[in-house]
Amino acid sequence: MSEHDGHRHRIIEKLDTGVLCEHELLEILLFNALPRRNTNDLAHRLLTAFGSLRGVSASVEQLKLVDGVGENVAAYLRCIGRFYETYYEADKEAFPRRFDPESFISYINERYARMDREVLDFYLLDERKNIVFCKRFTIDNPQRVVMKPEELTKLILVNKPSGVAVVHNHLSGSCFPSPSDDKTTNQIQLICSIHNVLFCDHYIYSPVGVYSYYRSGRMKEINREFSIGAILKERGGV
């Protein structure tokens, strides 16, 4: 490993520690745009020219005025800036900070009324029921949604939530669950049980209302029937 490669490796290792300076963050971003060059000097020049990381989100023409920034590097940095701007705007419409069963229904009515395709959304909760992440499952067919058990298993293993709340939408008709909805709910409960994750509720939205497995009383029954402990007991495993 060359000295150059060693430096890149050391600075990347610092990503998870949270102690990177602005020029180091910019230096790492530039690794992809300039894979075979030392990006430290360029990172410093950019910060000197624009004052901060936020300032580096300048136009392509402004960025090209900095020595060492060609059109490709300028386009790369501008793309990152646009990504951040879009992400920030989307965050304004993000999910609630905390999962509260009553207020969550109001959120569902507002958010899912705008949907033009079926989705299956998993809201991951920490131990205080703060919503920390949302994962959406959908496919090209707007009238159908698919969630493979191995995808949910991977989602749980990677994010390690304490709890999960699920929202599915019907584009028309009743909000009451179909046999397919019941089967999916049973699968989710079993997978959550295996990984010691609390399955709080499964909501189904339709233009006529919101169905809650928990409020209907069915969630407790599903939790009891489709838990790993109950299945092992039934089979004589415990």
Side-chain angles (χ1 to χ4, degrees):
M1 179 183 291
S2 69
E3 182 179 349
H4 175 61
D5 291 334
H7 171 72
R8 288 197 169 199
H9 178 71
R10 287 190 296 274
I11 198 171
I12 288 172
E13 283 187 328
K14 293 173 67 177
L15 273 172
D16 290 333
T17 68
V19 293
L20 285 166
C21 301
E22 280 197 339
H23 77 272
E24 292 175 313
L25 286 169
L26 188 51
E27 189 178 347
I28 293 172
L29 282 179
L30 290 166
F31 286 172
N32 288 327
L34 299 166
R36 293 179 177 83
R37 278 179 52 188
N38 185 329
T39 59
N40 182 276
D41 288 344
L42 181 54
H44 281 287
R45 287 198 298 273
L46 284 162
L47 289 173
T48 298
F50 297 104
S52 67
L53 281 178
R54 185 180 291 274
V56 173
S57 180
S59 70
V60 170
E61 292 306 314
Q62 288 173 319
L63 288 162
K64 285 166 63 177
L65 295 174
V66 177
D67 183 32
V69 176
E71 187 168 31
N72 288 341
V73 173
Y76 175 76
L77 291 172
R78 184 57 184 142
C79 181
I80 292 172
R82 293 290 291 170
F83 175 86
Y84 173 81
E85 291 164 11
T86 304
Y87 177 87
Y88 181 77
E89 287 300 317
D91 193 49
K92 293 178 181 177
E93 300 180 0
F95 43 77
R97 291 187 179 275
R98 192 172 187 277
F99 174 70
D100 173 73
E102 295 302 320
S103 61
F104 199 67
I105 290 180
S106 299
Y107 161 75
I108 291 170
N109 275 314
E110 180 180 353
R111 181 174 177 83
Y112 292 84
R114 304 193 295 266
M115 299 288 180
D116 60 358
R117 64 177 52 243
E118 286 200 13
V119 299
L120 184 66
D121 289 346
F122 284 76
Y123 293 84
L124 308 188
L125 318 177
D126 66 14
E127 64 279 0
R128 296 182 179 180
K129 292 197 174 179
N130 295 313
I131 301 175
V132 295
F133 187 68
C134 178
K135 167 66 176 177
R136 170 163 295 172
F137 293 94
T138 187
I139 58 175
D140 291 336
N141 186 341
Q143 303 289 337
R144 187 166 171 259
V145 66
V146 174
M147 185 278 301
K148 297 178 181 178
E150 59 269 25
E151 293 175 327
L152 176 54
T153 298
K154 181 179 179 180
L155 182 67
I156 290 174
L157 290 174
V158 170
N159 293 278
K160 300 178 174 58
S162 293
V164 171
V166 178
V167 181
H168 173 51
N169 63 322
H170 293 170
L171 297 180
S172 61
S174 172
C175 61
F176 284 95
S178 66
S180 177
D181 293 329
D182 286 341
K183 180 180 178 181
T184 298
T185 305
N186 296 342
Q187 276 188 332
I188 295 169
Q189 167 53 31
L190 182 56
I191 293 170
C192 285
S193 172
I194 291 171
H195 297 284
N196 196 31
V197 174
L198 176 64
F199 184 16
C200 298
D201 205 347
H202 183 180
Y203 299 91
I204 299 177
Y205 168 87
S206 86
V208 299
V210 177
Y211 179 88
S212 161
Y213 276 83
Y214 180 81
R215 294 179 72 175
S216 71
R218 294 186 62 197
M219 202 73 226
K220 290 182 179 178
E221 175 188 336
I222 291 169
N223 287 344
R224 186 169 55 248
E225 185 176 353
F226 290 90
S227 68
I228 188 66
I231 291 174
L232 289 174
K233 185 175 182 180
E234 181 180 327
R235 295 183 178 183
V238 294

